[in-house]
Each structure stands twice: as structure tokens, then as C-alpha cells.
Amino acid sequence: KMFEGDSFVISGDVVDPVTPIPLEIGYQFVSYFPEIPVDALIAFETIISDNLDFIRNSQGQILRKIGSNWVNGIGDCMSGEGYLVKMNADDILIYPEF
């Protein structure tokens, strides 16, 4: 929580976009590594199953299952954006190669 505006710089090496990200049951934040925007249903396709409860972006938009269909309220995933993921079971996220 900030009481006034400020900024900071994050530096380091670029992560290989197809680096496997282990996800555990419960809540965790993940970053979107690829440099191009991609539809969230495609970006998160390796975990879209009964193991996933939902994914939420920083604006509160959600990718979730309604009935038997997965509904993408997020739109495209953006490079450097963080996503809150709630898992029902452990899984591994691997972003697609482009």
C-alpha cells in the first residue's frame, strides 16, 4: 500500500517464455513471460482443466468455468502482467511457444 506516488525499476535476465511454472493447490501469482499478447484461453491452456478454479488479472477480470464452458473475461495476456491463479490441485503451467 502506497501513501503517495513513486516508481521503481526491476532489472534482471529475461525468463525463457516456455519455462515450466509449478502451481500448487490454492492461490498464487504468476507472471506472463511471452513478449506478445495472447488470448488467455490459449496462454493458460496447459492448466485449463478441473485443476484450475480461476485466473484473475490486476483489473479484476476473470477467466473461469461457467457451466461446462471456460469463459475468458481477461482477453489477452500482456507481457509482464501478473495473474492471480487459484488451483484446485497441483499442476504445471507452460506457456505456448510462438
Side-chain angles (χ1 to χ4, degrees):
K1 181 176 180 180
M2 303 288 294
F3 294 104
E4 59 185 70
D6 205 345
S7 64
F8 63 95
V9 176
I10 298 174
S11 61
D13 296 327
V14 175
V15 176
D16 183 353
V18 294
T19 300
I21 302 171
L23 300 173
E24 299 178 354
I25 191 169
Y27 294 92
Q28 54 251 281
F29 284 98
V30 299
S31 293
Y32 180 67
F33 299 144
E35 294 183 13
I36 61 170
V38 173
D39 183 281
L41 286 168
I42 296 169
F44 293 109
E45 69 185 346
T46 61
I47 60 168
I48 293 180
S49 69
D50 289 338
N51 292 347
L52 174 65
D53 190 351
F54 67 84
I55 299 170
R56 179 176 295 149
N57 68 11
S58 60
Q59 290 79 38
Q61 298 161 315
I62 298 177
L63 184 154
R64 64 182 171 173
K65 192 172 188 179
I66 298 177
S68 61
N69 298 311
W70 284 92
V71 178
N72 179 8
I74 293 174
D76 287 348
C77 291
M78 306 302 284
S79 182
E81 178 78 25
Y83 295 89
L84 175 65
V85 179
K86 183 173 184 228
M87 300 298 295
N88 297 320
D90 296 351
D91 210 333
I92 296 177
L93 170 61
I94 301 173
Y95 293 117
E97 288 189 60
F98 301 102

